[in-house]
Amino acid sequence: MPDLHLDGRPLSVALGTTVAAALALGSDGSARTSVSGQRRAPLCGMGICQECRVTIDGLRRLACQTLCRDGMQVETRP
Ligand code: FES
């Protein structure tokens, strides 16, 4: 059961949970803020739309293509 931090808050998820699913479980589900200030959320769930970009351990990643790992730091805000 991976324990991660989502925007600084601790969150435990089941093994095999994607970061996109963790966003839905541990927050309002949004992944980032657009240039116009709107919050954006995962849309396609298969690596196409790029709406699920988050920062994971300091690197930009697609939340829908990334499995949660123990100790992972996920940031949805700049
Ligand atoms: S939800 Fe579309 S790329 Fe991740």
Side-chain angles (χ1 to χ4, degrees), residues 4-11 23 26-28 73-75 77:
L4 57 140
H5 281 85
L6 176 55
D7 290 329
R9 296 182 314 275
L11 178 67
L23 294 174
S27 71
D28 64 356
Q73 303 283 332
V74 180
E75 303 291 334
R77 299 182 186 270

Side-chain angles (χ1 to χ4, degrees), residues 53-65:
R53 295 186 305 265
V54 293
T55 302
I56 299 174
D57 297 334
L59 299 172
R60 297 297 277 173
R61 298 282 185 219
L62 294 178
C64 71
Q65 301 297 299

